[in-house]
Amino acid sequence: MKKDIRISCSRENLKVVRDFVNDYLATYNLSELQLNQIILAVDEVVANLIIHANGEDESRSLYLSINFVNHAVDISIEDSSPISYRPSTFREPDMNEHVRLGKKGGVGMALVNRIMDSVEFTTSGRYNVCRLHKRVS
């Protein structure tokens, strides 16, 4: 069963999104690790879209849909920001160097890519879409 939610681009809605994903997936008997990983991945993408792509402009919104089919979680996150994510520009950070330099931030998408089985960013018309896919047992 597919569920969806629309939120304004405010950091305050990150908890709303985490609760939405948690409540939806709670009925599917996932391990605590799987559940927390998926929530973390969605939270990271949504935070990036709210903060970086939409500048926390509460007049803009994100549309998130989640579906569980055939032991897989599919999540779609759409926005209409004029800024679209370019996967070709993303470079996996050197984690050892990142820690050594004491850098904060910049590792979220690396975590998302490691947690999810596939992460896809596309632009369709005036919408940017992020699709996350994870097989679960």
Side-chain angles (χ1 to χ4, degrees):
M1 178 174 87
K2 182 179 172 182
K3 288 198 76 156
D4 53 31
I5 187 174
R6 183 175 299 279
I7 61 160
S8 65
C9 290
S10 166
R11 287 181 201 223
E12 293 174 7
N13 286 322
L14 290 171
K15 181 174 180 354
V16 172
V17 170
R18 288 190 301 268
D19 290 346
F20 171 76
V21 173
N22 183 65
D23 293 347
Y24 177 85
L25 292 176
T27 62
Y28 290 101
N29 199 27
L30 303 179
S31 72
E32 189 173 337
L33 176 63
Q34 288 174 322
L35 178 62
N36 288 328
Q37 285 179 331
I38 294 168
I39 292 169
L40 174 64
V42 172
D43 184 68
E44 181 60 34
V45 171
V46 169
N48 281 344
L49 292 173
I50 287 173
I51 297 164
H52 302 298
N54 289 282
E56 297 183 69
D57 181 347
E58 292 184 35
S59 70
R60 293 185 182 166
S61 60
L62 300 180
Y63 173 78
L64 185 140
S65 66
I66 185 168
N67 198 16
F68 190 95
V69 178
N70 297 327
H71 302 286
V73 178
D74 289 303
I75 299 159
S76 174
I77 307 162
E78 292 181 15
D79 77 343
S80 58
S81 168
I83 300 169
S84 62
Y85 179 76
R86 304 260 189 269
S88 62
T89 65
F90 176 74
R91 298 287 181 260
E92 187 86 14
D94 178 336
M95 297 301 265
N96 292 330
E97 184 69 6
H98 212 77
V99 170
R100 187 183 74 73
L101 294 174
K103 287 186 175 180
K104 294 181 180 180
V107 297
M109 284 310 302
L111 286 172
V112 172
N113 287 327
R114 290 177 183 181
I115 290 169
M116 302 305 287
D117 294 331
S118 67
V119 178
E120 175 186 332
F121 286 86
T122 59
T123 300
S124 176
R126 58 178 213 149
Y127 294 100
N128 302 305
V129 181
C130 173
R131 289 184 183 81
L132 306 171
H133 176 82
K134 175 85 171 167
R135 295 226 19 103
V136 294
S137 40

